[in-house]
């Protein structure tokens, strides 16, 4: 019993540790000159793609529980915060390594280039979610916490759109990320209530027998 | 055609011979120290060349970066795709067909192409994606080839075409194809005849690696890199301005001229600065100001006199 509780909290920490491996590994490759060409850009892209992956996985936790009965809710906060930290790293790499803190260029980019404006908006919306990702806020905010965290659906669409608009030609990757994001948002908006109602009904029927 | 004058200093005026030779040994050293690179197959041959004009005295970008960070969508749209996926490409034998509005159409084979007077040209290369390299090309002036086919008076432009070989070029197969094939490009005839414009058949002293556009490619250093069409099979002299591949895909982002211009942004990023690949290291990459015409304004600006460069980007 105790062992399993220890494993549970340890496994959450494991998610954090494993989650930071891609960033650490590519930072190491970049810093030791093992990424040919424009290492900073490669690093920046990689962080952006991993941010998007963690956002998608975070939002997949609920449908996976609804549809397959697999409960990963314990890891959801870690996954969401990993997404947040990857966006922070992506943004910092862009500002510090890529643009060398040339604020005129950065402000101009954010104001004038729609794909960056959208990325920035998604990042801005992520901040309150990251700040309230703790038990105290959940208790304190009650049902407002749930409403606030519905912003994640706007963020994921924004992130996927930002990716689609950032590339020079449409390749399968950004299209696939956008499709997954759309399915997750669509599930939440249109199907989830039906799935839950159906499950409740089935459970009621089973109990009546 | 407009008559223009461009200063054309001898290579020896720009770089002392000592420094030049020194640079060559640097290049050779760089080559020797990286024996096992992606896609640089054993078939690479050494080319004989002599120093040519217009070479910069900047430090060449490493052979490793020049051959492993490429845009060549026929092999995939990632920067490392060309180096990883071009191993099956067979640049030999090869023919380059030159026709259209010319008096003497001619098909050149590889020996003929490599038989031109080959020159070393150490040029800056500015990609439209705001990064740059310094590449030691080996090639010959495009004008030398045009002289052989004798363009007619009605010829105003040169249209170029890349090979289509889906069986050897993975980017040309499958469901998702980023660009329509063949890749096409174009130059105004006076641009094509400009002494800076070369057909390159090698770099770093040897024949072109597949990922760099083997066996013959265009190099026009005052324009964004995508104008430098690779693995050319066909050149046609025409009267009407051809539409190039990127221009067709996204005309608001890529124009026909594509002259390097720090004052005209790409809609999605600034062109005012560039990252020089291989400089400054990971934690402080070498961002520098982009120069008009990529620093070749003295040689080429006059051919665009009176043209609105913001409208003709
Ligand atoms: C939720 C927030 C964000 C996500 C999920 C995200 C994700 C991505 C992804 C996946 C890419 C494309 C990588 C590739 O081409 O392989 C990208 C590119 C980019 N992102 Fe973000 N991003 C976010 C926020 C931001 C912010 C706040 C900024 C800066 C203000 C930013 C700046 C950029 C830039 C400049 C590029 C293009 C890099 C280039 O190709 O030159 N992003 N981002």
């Amino acid at each position: 019993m105790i062992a399993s509780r220890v494993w549970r909290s340890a496994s959450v920490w494991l998610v954090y540790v494993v989650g930071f491996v891609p960033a650490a590994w590519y930072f190491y490759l970049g810093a030791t000159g093992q990424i040919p060409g424009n290492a900073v850009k490669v690093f920046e892209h990689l962080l952006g793609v991993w941010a998007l992956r963690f956002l998608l996985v975070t939002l997949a936790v609920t449908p996976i529980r609804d549809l397959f009965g697999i409960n990963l809710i314990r890891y959801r906060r870690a996954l969401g915060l990993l997404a947040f930290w990857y966006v922070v790293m992506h943004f910092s790499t862009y500002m510090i390594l890529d643009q060398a803190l040339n604020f005129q260029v950065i402000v101009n980019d954010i104001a004038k280039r729609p794909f960056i404006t959208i990325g920035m908006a998604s990042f801005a919306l992520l901040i309150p979610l990251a700040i309230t990702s703790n038990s105290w806020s959940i208790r304190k905010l009650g049902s407002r916490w749930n409403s606030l965290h519905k912003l994640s659906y706007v963020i994921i669409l924004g992130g996927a759109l930002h990716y689609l608009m950032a590339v020079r030609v449409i390749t399968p990757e950004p299209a696939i990320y956008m499709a997954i994001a759309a399915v997750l948002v669509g599930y939440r908006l249109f199907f989830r209530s039906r799935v839950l109602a159906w499950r409740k009904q089935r459970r009621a029927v089973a109990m009546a027998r | 055609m407009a008559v223009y004058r461009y200063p054309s200093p001898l290579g020896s005026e720009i770089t002392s011979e000592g420094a030049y030779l020194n640079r060559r040994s640097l290049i050779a050293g760089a080559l020797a120290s990286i024996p096992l690179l992606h896609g640089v197959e054993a078939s690479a041959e050494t080319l004989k060349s002599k120093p040519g004009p217009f070479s910069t005295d900047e430090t060449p970008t490493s052979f490793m970066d020049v051959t492993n960070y490429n845009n060549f969508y026929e092999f995939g749209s990632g920067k490392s795709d060309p180096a990883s996926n071009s191993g099956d490409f067979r640049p030999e034998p090869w023919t380059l067909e030159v026709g259209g509005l010319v008096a003497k159409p001619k098909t050149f084979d590889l020996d003929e192409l490599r038989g031109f007077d080959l020159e070393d040209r150490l040029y800056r290369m500015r990609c439209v994606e705001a990064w740059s390299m310094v590449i030691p090309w080996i090639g010959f002036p495009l004008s030398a080839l045009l002289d052989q086919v004798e363009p007619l008076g009605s010829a105003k432009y040169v249209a170029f075409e890349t090979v289509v070989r889906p069986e050897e070029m993975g980017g040309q197969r499958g469901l998702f194809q980023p660009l329509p094939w063949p890749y096409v490009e174009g130059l105004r005839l006076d641009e094509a005849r400009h002494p800076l414009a070369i057909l390159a058949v090698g770099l770093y002293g040897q024949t072109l690696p597949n990922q760099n556009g083997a066996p013959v490619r265009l190099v026009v250093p005052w324009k964004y890199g995508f104008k430098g069409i690779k693995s050319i099979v066909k050149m046609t002299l025409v009267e009407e301005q051809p539409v190039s591949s990127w221009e067709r895909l996204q005309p608001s982002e890529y124009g026909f001229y594509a002259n390097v211009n720090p004052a005209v942004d790409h809609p999605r990023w600034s062109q005012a600065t560039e990252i020089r690949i291989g400089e400054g290291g990971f934690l402080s990459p070498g961002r520098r100001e982009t120069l008009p015409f990529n620093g070749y304004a003295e040689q080429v600006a006059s051919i665009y006199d009176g043209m609105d460069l913001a409208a003709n980007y």
Side-chain angles (χ1 to χ4, degrees), chain A residues 27 30-31 36-43 97-99 108 112-113 115 165-172 175, chain B residues 64-65 68-69 71 73 77 128-129 131 176 178-179 246 249 254 265-270 275 277 282-283 285 287:
Chain A
F27 185 86
N38 198 344
V40 164
K41 255 310 179 246
V42 172
F43 188 57
L97 300 185
D98 193 357
Q99 299 300 342
N108 189 45
K112 225 174 70 176
R113 313 200 192 278
F115 88 97
M165 291 170 74
V167 294
R168 284 177 70 196
V169 293
I170 301 293
T171 49
Chain B
M64 154 101 167
D65 283 337
N68 282 272
Y69 193 77
N71 277 319
Y73 280 52
S77 55
V128 72
E129 296 165 354
W131 52 267
F176 260 94
L179 290 167
W246 284 101
L249 186 81
Y254 311 101
D265 280 3
H266 183 283
R268 287 180 285 149
W269 56 85
S270 162
I275 286 198
I277 302 297
F282 186 56
L283 295 178
R287 228 177 228 289

Side-chain angles (χ1 to χ4, degrees), chain A residues 41-42 44-53 55 83 86-88 90-92 94-95 98-99 106 109-110 115-124 126 155-156 158-160 162-164 166-168 173-174 177, chain B residues 129 268-269:
Chain A
K41 255 310 179 246
V42 172
E44 185 179 327
H45 284 190
L46 185 104
L47 294 170
V49 169
W50 277 96
L52 201 50
R53 287 178 185 159
L55 280 175
Y86 269 87
V87 176
V88 169
H90 174 64
F91 180 60
S92 315
Y94 159 78
M95 282 212 312
D98 193 357
Q99 299 300 342
I106 294 167
D109 270 0
I110 293 173
F115 88 97
I116 297 186
T117 314
I118 291 170
M120 195 64 214
S122 294
F123 177 37
L126 255 181
I155 293 166
I156 188 83
H162 166 77
Y163 185 9
L164 260 182
V167 294
R168 284 177 70 196
E173 290 87 2
Y177 283 100
Chain B
E129 296 165 354
R268 287 180 285 149
W269 56 85

Side-chain angles (χ1 to χ4, degrees), chain B residues 105-123:
Chain B
K106 180 170 178 187
T107 298
F108 295 83
D109 65 23
L110 211 42
D111 286 339
E112 288 170 308
L113 291 170
R114 289 174 183 163
F116 279 88
D117 281 337
L118 298 184
E119 300 174 8
D120 300 319
R121 303 274 184 114
L122 184 61
Y123 279 167

Side-chain angles (χ1 to χ4, degrees), chain B residues 284-306:
Chain B
S284 59
R287 228 177 228 289
R288 57 172 71 214
E289 309 258 299
T290 291
L291 301 172
F293 298 105
N294 199 22
Y296 298 98
E298 197 188 334
Q299 288 83 30
V300 297
S302 61
I303 70 175
Y304 303 106
D305 272 349

Side-chain angles (χ1 to χ4, degrees), chain B residues 16-96:
Chain B
S16 74
E17 200 178 353
Y20 188 86
L21 291 175
N22 190 19
R23 193 182 61 214
R24 287 216 107 185
S25 63
L26 269 178
I27 293 170
L31 262 182
S33 63
I34 21 180
L36 284 172
L37 271 165
H38 251 320
V40 181
E41 61 286 14
S43 71
E45 291 164 42
T46 309
L47 289 172
K48 271 218 175 69
S49 56
K50 60 181 193 339
F54 305 117
S55 283
T56 165
D57 55 7
E58 288 156 281
T59 313
T61 304
S62 74
F63 183 76
M64 154 101 167
D65 283 337
V66 168
T67 55
N68 282 272
Y69 193 77
N70 309 96
N71 277 319
F72 195 172
Y73 280 52
E74 281 80 347
F75 294 116
S77 55
K79 298 284 182 291
S80 55
D81 289 346
S84 316
N85 305 338
S86 63
D88 289 340
F89 186 66
R90 295 283 152 256
E92 299 187 31
W94 194 264
T95 54
L96 166 57

Side-chain angles (χ1 to χ4, degrees), chain B residues 146-163:
Chain B
L146 291 173
D147 287 345
Q148 291 198 9
V149 297
E150 297 177 14
L152 302 175
S154 52
K156 298 283 183 295
Y157 296 90
V158 186
F160 300 82
E161 226 177 273
T162 294
V163 73

